[in-house]
Amino acid sequence: MTQDPIASELKYTPVDTIPEIAAGVRNAFNSHKTKSIDYRLLQLRKLYWGIKDNEAALVKACKQDLGKGAYETYLAEIDWCTNDIVFVTQNLKSWMKDESASDIPLANKLLSPRIRKDPLGAVLIIGTYNFPVNLSVTPLVGAIAAGCTAILKPSESAPAVAKVLQHIVETSLDVSCFGVVQGAIPETSALLEEKWDKIFYTGSANVGKIIAKKAAETLTPVTLELGGRNPAIVTKHANVQLAAKRLLWGKIMNAGQVCISQNYIMVDKEILASFIVELKVTMKQFFPNGIKDSDDYARIINGKQWSRLKSMLDSTKGEIIMGGDMDESQRYMEPTVVLVDSPKDPLVAEESFGPLIPILPVEDLDTAIRIANEVHRTPLGLYPFGNKQETDQIMRETQSGGVSVNDALFHGTIPTLPFGGVGDSGQGAYRGRSSFDCFSHRRSVTTTPGWMEGLLDVRYPPYEGKLAKFKKMSELKPNFDRDGKVKFSVASYILSLGAGSTTGGLVRYAMVLLALQIPKSTDILDHIHSLPQPAQDEAQTAVRAIERAAMVEQEPQPGLVELISYLEGRKVRMGLCTRNFDAPVTHLLQTFLPGKTFFPIITRDFRPPKPDPAGILQIAQAWDLEDGAASLIMVGDSIDDMTAGYRAGAATVLLSCEENEELERHEYTGLAVRRLDDLVGILERGFEEGTDRRKGDGEGEAKTP
C-alpha cells in the first residue's frame, strides 16, 4: 500500500453523480461479464489481498472510530472477512452447479427438472457502524460470489473505516462493476431513488422501515438485518457461574454495540443473589487492572449515541448494582448492571445497543417466557440458560431470529451459519452459503424432449374424453379419511418398513442388509481368533482386562460383550480415559463396531487404569434415554480426567473412584453419571487448583492429544 487512506478527509459522493454510478453497475451487469466463475473467483481473491494489504489501516481505523482494540478488530472484522472469502472461493463451484429438483413425480422426471442459480443483478449494500468492516464486506462477498454487480454505502458514523473500505474496493476490484458511495441521509436517499435488483441493509428498525417502504415502490427485494430487545433467561437450574460469565462477555464485546447481544436478563429469584456475585467476580477476572484504561474495551461510536445511553440510564427506576462510571470526553461508558422491577422499565422496553445490563427478577420460567413475548415477540436473538427441559420449553414457546442455548450470541459468531431476523427484527439471512443464496435467484428449469409429444397430447384441446386420462396420470390418493385420521395399510407398512414412503423403505431395507454383515457380539471370541498377530493378542488382553475390571465386590457386572451388544446400531463416539489399555480397547471396539469412532483421551495421570464396561454401559443407557444418542462418553477417575473430557467436548462423564482426595473434596466420589454442562464450574476450579498444585510439585498441566 502506497498511501494511508485514513490521512485524507472523508469526502461525500456528489448527489448529482449517483444516478450515473447506479446506471454504470446496471449496464455492467447487463454485459454478463460477472457471471462466469473465473471472474467471480478473481474478484474475490483480489478482495482478499486488498484486505490483507490494508490490515494495519483497518486496525487503526477501527481504533479511531470505535476505540476497538486490535484483538476484537482481527477477531470480528478482518479475519472474519478473509476467512469468509477463502471459504466461499473453496465452495463456489459446487454452489453454482444446477441442483436436481426434489419431490418430482416420476412422470415429470423425464423433463430433467432442475434449479439454476442466477445472479439477481445490480445490488445496493448499506453498511452500519458497529462492525463497519464485517457488516459491509461480508454481504459484498456474497454479491460477488452470486455474480452480481454492487454499490457499497459504508456507514458515515465510522468515517475512518469508510475511507479504508473505499480504498480497498477501488484498488482491488473491477471498478466498472463495484463501487463505493460515501455520504449520509441525502446520499442514501439518492441511492434509494435508483432501481436496484436487491437492497441489503444492516442497521436500526426505524431506518429499515424507510428502506422497505422505498423498495416497495419498485417491488425491489430487500434483506434487512435489524435488531431487537433480545432476552436472556436464567432459570434456577442454570449454571450460574457460566451464565454470568458468558452474558457479561456478550455485553463487553464492542462495548455492547452488538445487535444480537442480550438487551435484558431475566433471572429466577432463587439464584439472583449468586448471579450478581458471579457478575462482579467475572468483571474483576476480565479486567483485573480496571476497564477504562484497558485496550480490550471499546468506546461508544459517537457523542450522539453516548448521550442516548446516558439518557436511558438516567430514566430508569432501577438500582445500579455494578458499574456506572462514564466519561463523555472519551465516549467511555462502563458496563453497568441495573436491577429493575418492571418489564416496562426503559432499559427493558427499549433497545439499548450499549453496555447497559438490566436484570429483571422473575418468579418462575412461565413468567419469564410471558414477559419475553410481551416485550418483543420476534427479537433477533434469544439466550436461555437452564437444563434441557427448560431450554426446550423456552424455544418452543417463543420466537427469535436465532438462539444460543446456555451462551450469549454464539450462534451469531459462526461464519457459516445462516444469520438473520424474524418479524420486525429482520428478514432474509446471509453468511457462508446463505450469502450466495441471498443474492441469487433459484430459477426452475425443465427441458421437454420432442419424443414426449405423444405423452403430452392430454394437455391439448379438444379436451373431450381426456379428463379421466389426466386424473389417472396425476391424481394423488390421500392416506387419511374424512376425520383426518391416517389410514393404516399392512401391505404399505411391510413394503416401506414403516418409513411412510418407498424411498424411506428402500433406505431401511438397505440398513437391515448392512446390519446383517456386522459381526454379532456373541461371535467376539471366535472372531478374535481370526485376527492377525499382534492384533489377536491385544484383543485378548483387552477382553481379559475389562472382564476382570467388571467384577465389583464379587458381583459380576455387564462386560464387554454386553457393552458391544448395546452400542450396536447406536450413534456413539467414545473416548476411554485410561492408559495401558487404550490401544487394545480401541482396536477391539473398532473391530466389532465398524463405522463408529472410538478414540483414547490421554492424560498425565499415570495411576492404574480402571476400565469399567459396566459403567460405560450405564452411562450410555442413561444418555440414550435422555437425548437419543451420545456424542462422547469419557471414563475417568480424576480431576485431570474430567478436564480432559471437558476439553474434548464430552457430553457425559463417568467418574469411577473410591479413594481420591481431589474428587472427595468436590463431593464427586464413587460411580457417578453427570452431564458435563452441570460440571463445568467444578471442572474449571478443580483444574486450576490441580494445575497450581502440580506446578508446585514440578509437574505440568494435564494434556489431551
Side-chain angles (χ1 to χ4, degrees):
M1 189 175 61
T2 58
Q3 63 182 25
D4 182 0
I6 305 180
S8 59
E9 182 180 348
L10 178 64
K11 296 180 180 179
Y12 286 4
T13 303
V15 172
D16 58 0
T17 66
I18 289 178
E20 182 181 355
I21 293 172
V25 293
R26 286 196 298 267
N27 293 334
F29 178 77
N30 292 333
S31 72
H32 310 295
K33 66 187 296 186
T34 63
K35 294 183 177 180
S36 74
I37 187 172
D38 291 337
Y39 179 87
R40 303 183 199 187
L41 290 174
L42 179 63
Q43 297 304 306
L44 289 169
R45 291 163 182 162
K46 286 186 173 181
L47 180 59
Y48 173 91
W49 288 112
I51 295 172
K52 296 295 286 186
D53 291 343
N54 288 275
E55 282 184 348
L58 288 171
V59 171
K60 181 180 178 181
C62 285
K63 186 68 174 180
Q64 182 173 318
D65 287 336
L66 283 151
K68 188 177 295 190
Y71 179 83
E72 281 195 8
T73 298
Y74 276 101
L75 175 72
E77 306 274 14
I78 298 173
D79 287 355
W80 181 295
C81 294
T82 53
N83 287 342
D84 187 45
I85 293 172
V86 172
F87 175 77
V88 171
T89 58
Q90 292 173 343
N91 292 276
L92 183 56
K93 184 177 181 180
S94 64
W95 296 346
M96 289 178 61
K97 289 181 179 178
D98 289 356
E99 288 182 18
S100 297
S102 58
D103 303 320
I104 301 298
L106 181 61
N108 290 336
K109 287 185 179 293
L110 300 174
L111 283 72
S112 302
R114 58 200 181 275
I115 299 171
R116 175 186 174 92
K117 289 69 168 284
D118 284 349
L120 288 176
V123 303
L124 171 64
I125 299 168
I126 304 175
T128 189
Y129 66 78
N130 58 327
F131 293 97
V133 183
N134 184 335
L135 301 183
S136 296
V137 172
T138 302
L140 178 61
V141 169
I144 296 173
C148 297
T149 58
I151 291 297
L152 171 64
K153 162 58 181 67
S155 173
E156 71 278 11
S157 296
V161 172
K163 288 183 287 185
V164 181
L165 289 178
Q166 181 173 4
H167 174 77
I168 291 173
V169 169
E170 292 179 350
T171 59
S172 303
L173 300 180
D174 181 349
V175 293
S176 69
C177 297
F178 308 101
V180 174
V181 168
Q182 304 283 16
I185 294 177
E187 293 75 18
T188 304
S189 299
L191 285 168
L192 293 176
E193 290 295 331
E194 297 299 317
K195 177 65 179 102
W196 303 97
D197 297 298
K198 180 73 176 277
I199 298 175
F200 188 106
Y201 168 75
T202 304
S204 71
N206 289 334
V207 177
K209 292 176 184 178
I210 297 172
I211 290 173
K213 183 177 180 180
K214 194 64 182 178
E217 294 178 2
T218 53
L219 298 180
T220 299
V222 296
T223 292
L224 302 175
E225 298 296 342
L226 309 177
R229 288 149 286 171
N230 310 314
I233 300 175
V234 183
T235 75
K236 61 184 177 182
H237 297 115
N239 184 316
V240 177
Q241 182 188 30
L242 275 185
K245 182 179 182 180
R246 293 174 178 179
L247 289 172
L248 183 60
W249 166 76
K251 271 296 188 179
I252 64 170
M253 185 179 186
N254 204 31
Q257 299 166 108
V258 184
C259 60
I260 56 171
S261 66
Q262 74 277 1
N263 196 61
Y264 61 103
I265 307 171
M266 288 182 283
V267 181
D268 192 289
K269 288 183 177 180
E270 289 189 21
I271 60 168
L272 177 61
S274 58
F275 181 78
I276 293 173
V277 169
E278 291 293 349
L279 281 176
K280 294 178 179 179
V281 170
T282 303
M283 178 62 78
K284 292 180 180 179
Q285 293 174 343
F286 284 172
F287 301 99
N289 299 318
I291 189 170
K292 185 174 183 179
D293 297 327
S294 173
D295 290 334
D296 296 332
Y297 188 67
R299 295 297 185 264
I300 306 304
I301 184 68
N302 54 38
K304 177 182 177 181
Q305 295 301 325
W306 187 94
S307 297
R308 179 186 60 83
L309 290 167
K310 174 67 164 52
S311 178
M312 288 185 69
L313 196 57
D314 291 341
S315 65
T316 181
K317 295 181 180 179
E319 174 191 358
I320 296 178
I321 57 178
M322 188 179 87
D325 184 30
M326 55 188 71
D327 185 340
E328 185 174 9
S329 65
Q330 295 187 24
R331 309 192 314 275
Y332 164 76
M333 185 168 289
E334 184 182 14
T336 302
V337 179
V338 182
L339 189 62
V340 300
D341 59 5
S342 170
K344 295 182 179 180
D345 190 280
L347 294 184
V348 176
E350 302 172 18
E351 182 181 4
S352 64
F353 205 66
L356 306 182
I357 311 173
I359 296 177
L360 178 62
V362 292
E363 293 289 345
D364 52 38
L365 180 56
D366 290 336
T367 302
I369 293 174
R370 175 179 57 78
I371 292 175
N373 287 324
E374 289 175 353
V375 171
H376 191 177
R377 191 175 64 85
T378 56
L380 185 58
L382 171 69
Y383 309 105
F385 289 76
N387 60 34
K388 188 176 187 301
Q389 180 180 358
E390 292 168 332
T391 56
D392 284 350
Q393 179 186 350
I394 293 170
M395 287 190 288
R396 187 171 59 249
E397 299 179 9
T398 60
Q399 288 182 282
S400 65
V403 183
S404 293
V405 177
N406 290 328
D407 210 339
L409 59 86
F410 201 90
H411 72 277
T413 66
I414 301 176
T416 55
L417 187 67
F419 176 83
V422 61
D424 59 358
S425 64
Q427 58 188 66
Y430 73 121
R431 303 267 179 88
R433 169 67 183 266
S434 294
S435 292
F436 172 83
D437 293 337
C438 178
F439 294 97
S440 299
H441 169 60
R442 295 174 61 83
R443 192 178 185 184
S444 298
V445 180
T446 60
T447 301
T448 309
W451 59 262
M452 284 189 64
E453 193 62 17
L455 299 175
L456 299 176
D457 180 71
V458 69
R459 71 182 182 177
Y460 300 126
Y463 297 128
E464 184 178 355
K466 293 182 178 180
L467 182 59
K469 181 180 179 181
F470 174 77
K471 283 180 171 289
K472 186 176 181 180
M473 292 172 59
S474 63
E475 188 174 17
L476 298 176
K477 301 297 182 181
N479 67 338
F480 50 87
D481 60 21
R482 291 180 178 273
D483 296 324
K485 297 179 180 179
V486 177
K487 300 175 183 178
F488 179 76
S489 170
V490 175
S492 176
Y493 186 87
I494 293 175
L495 289 174
S496 66
L497 275 183
S501 67
T502 303
T503 302
L506 291 174
V507 172
R508 291 191 176 188
Y509 273 111
M511 292 176 65
V512 170
L513 292 174
L514 179 62
L516 292 175
Q517 306 303 314
I518 299 175
K520 293 296 177 288
S521 56
T522 53
D523 301 329
I524 287 179
L525 296 180
D526 290 338
H527 191 74
I528 285 178
H529 291 302
S530 67
L531 296 175
Q533 297 289 352
Q536 185 177 140
D537 293 337
E538 292 180 346
Q540 289 175 333
T541 299
V543 170
R544 287 194 297 270
I546 292 179
E547 293 291 4
R548 284 198 305 271
M551 301 296 294
V552 179
E553 296 182 355
Q554 307 304 317
E555 293 182 9
Q557 302 292 320
L560 185 63
V561 173
E562 290 80 358
L563 174 62
I564 292 180
S565 177
Y566 177 81
L567 294 177
E568 279 180 353
R570 285 173 170 81
K571 185 181 178 182
V572 178
R573 297 176 68 240
M574 179 180 295
L576 297 174
C577 196
T578 67
R579 185 170 185 267
N580 296 341
F581 299 116
D582 276 322
V585 167
T586 301
H587 174 81
L588 190 64
L589 291 177
Q590 287 175 336
T591 299
F592 291 101
L593 294 169
K596 301 187 185 301
T597 302
F598 295 86
F599 61 93
I601 300 174
I602 308 294
T603 75
R604 295 193 61 181
D605 179 9
F606 292 160
R607 284 167 292 199
K610 298 182 180 180
D612 186 352
I616 301 171
L617 179 60
Q618 178 184 350
I619 196 171
Q621 290 171 332
W623 184 255
D624 270 359
L625 288 174
E626 182 175 353
D627 286 324
S631 59
L632 171 65
I633 298 170
M634 190 276 284
V635 183
D637 63 355
S638 71
I639 292 292
D640 285 348
D641 295 346
M642 287 167 30
T643 303
Y646 172 51
R647 289 182 170 180
T652 54
V653 293
L654 170 66
L655 304 177
S656 180
C657 179
E658 295 178 359
E659 296 181 1
N660 185 297
E661 293 181 358
E662 289 176 329
L663 297 181
E664 284 178 346
R665 182 169 60 257
H666 296 295
E667 298 180 355
Y668 286 100
T669 59
L671 188 64
V673 178
R674 301 281 181 175
R675 289 284 302 276
L676 251 184
D677 54 5
D678 295 329
L679 282 176
V680 170
I682 199 70
L683 285 174
E684 293 177 337
R685 288 192 292 272
F687 179 69
E688 290 171 359
E689 294 172 7
T691 300
D692 293 338
R693 184 167 52 258
R694 285 191 299 274
K695 286 181 178 178
D697 296 334
E699 297 181 24
E701 285 189 359
K703 296 182 179 179
T704 57

